[in-house]
Amino acid sequence: MKAPSEEEGAHKYNNWTLNELIAECRRRKLEFDDTDDKTDLISILLKDDKKPPDWGVIYTRLLNAGLRYDEIPKRTIPQIEAILGEWAYLISIKMPNIFGSLPTEPSSSSLPNDGKPPKVSEFIALANMFSGIQ
Amino acid sequence: MTNMEAKTPVPFSVMNGDGESFIVGDKKYTVRPMLVGDALKFAEDGLSISSQLFNLANKEAKEKLDFYLSQYCFDENKDPMTIEKVIADKWSIIDLKNFLRKLCDLSG
């Protein structure tokens, strides 16, 4: 099996021992072979990390932890992760990649204003110019 | 201690839902973490973190940006921020990008 890349999140498990990876797979009730090595187990865990969260299970865990049903939506993800404790992996929401995939703004050296980034107002004015063309 | 047991202590500020300060020029703002429902919505909204031109040029994206500003960014008087106020306070596009980054960092 091909080793998972850093972009796939492999760094999360790279320092884990084989026994830790096996224990984590068992805890999550994930299927694996006794012959699976570290790479295989990391791939299995990463695949599981990418699954959408099961909010039924998450709500059940939080209700068992004593949170009221109507209180759950008023919590933040870091708070829910903290309350879930060892079950925090159930939440696999990832905020958008902060480096994004869309084109970035021009570098500051190519900008007017002596290299200073444009103000939001200037950007909106520029955007409005193009909106007339649509 | 094994890697599985290694766990960073959760600070009180996280459990209390406190925000973090955010400075633009000589003004200080507070960015607070999103509630879980809004965080899920944000992840699907497709707002660009890197390209503010998209967020400001697209009417729908601009409305979404305005929503997240008004819900999760507050000025020194604890009044919610809006795009209008961002313009009045002379934020640059880098400041706007930094706000969104901080919002993501705090929220997920």
Side-chain angles (χ1 to χ4, degrees):
Chain A
M1 188 179 283
K2 186 175 156 262
S5 67
E6 288 295 308
E7 284 135 27
E8 291 170 304
H11 59 87
K12 197 169 154 189
Y13 301 109
N14 274 347
N15 294 331
W16 290 34
T17 65
L18 183 65
N19 284 339
E20 286 173 340
L21 293 166
I22 289 172
E24 182 66 7
C25 286
R26 285 201 176 122
R27 191 167 66 89
R28 298 192 196 183
K29 298 183 173 65
L30 301 173
E31 282 185 24
F32 63 95
D33 278 337
D34 291 339
T35 54
D36 282 344
D37 59 12
K38 272 186 76 172
T39 305
D40 300 326
L41 295 172
I42 289 173
S43 293
I44 290 169
L45 288 171
L46 287 174
K47 197 175 164 192
D48 187 57
D49 286 347
K50 284 176 188 157
K51 282 198 304 198
D54 184 334
W55 285 97
V57 176
I58 294 169
Y59 263 62
T60 304
R61 296 274 167 210
L62 292 172
L63 292 168
N64 283 339
L67 228 63
R68 285 205 330 260
Y69 202 94
D70 59 336
E71 275 290 312
I72 295 170
K74 295 175 188 165
R75 303 273 65 90
T76 66
I77 289 173
Q79 288 169 346
I80 288 177
E81 283 177 335
I83 295 166
L84 286 171
E86 64 176 312
W87 298 95
Y89 72 87
L90 291 169
I91 289 199
S92 57
I93 304 158
K94 304 283 183 294
M95 288 288 109
N97 180 350
I98 60 167
F99 301 108
S101 55
L102 291 169
T104 55
E105 292 86 1
S107 67
S108 58
S109 59
S110 63
L111 294 170
N113 300 347
D114 300 325
K116 287 180 192 165
K119 301 287 178 204
V120 170
S121 56
E122 294 167 331
F123 239 49
I124 288 178
L126 179 69
N128 287 342
M129 279 170 61
F130 289 106
S131 67
I133 299 170
Q134 290 174 351
Chain B
M1 187 186 283
T2 65
N3 287 300
M4 284 174 69
E5 289 164 345
K7 189 176 175 298
T8 314
V10 180
F12 176 75
S13 59
V14 168
M15 299 315 290
N16 202 36
D18 292 345
E20 282 187 12
S21 60
F22 174 73
I23 292 169
V24 178
D26 57 354
K27 292 189 175 169
K28 195 163 137 187
Y29 305 87
T30 303
V31 182
R32 298 185 66 182
M34 288 184 270
L35 301 183
V36 60
D38 284 342
L40 289 169
K41 208 164 141 284
F42 184 93
E44 288 179 358
D45 269 347
L47 277 180
S48 173
I49 311 296
S50 59
S51 174
Q52 297 312 311
L53 183 56
F54 169 78
N55 295 338
L56 295 169
N58 180 290
K59 187 172 174 273
E60 204 179 318
K62 199 172 159 186
E63 283 170 2
K64 287 173 185 170
L65 179 63
D66 209 33
F67 170 80
Y68 293 110
L69 271 168
S70 64
Q71 296 296 307
Y72 297 108
C73 188
F74 302 88
D75 65 15
E76 283 162 316
N77 300 320
K78 296 186 168 55
D79 290 328
M81 290 298 289
T82 60
I83 290 181
E84 292 305 315
K85 286 169 83 171
V86 158
I87 293 169
D89 287 359
K90 298 185 168 50
W91 282 28
S92 74
I93 52 162
I94 304 295
D95 299 323
L96 196 54
K97 186 192 291 187
N98 289 341
F99 156 71
L100 286 171
R101 282 188 183 197
K102 192 172 266 296
L103 184 65
C104 290
D105 287 346
L106 287 172
S107 304

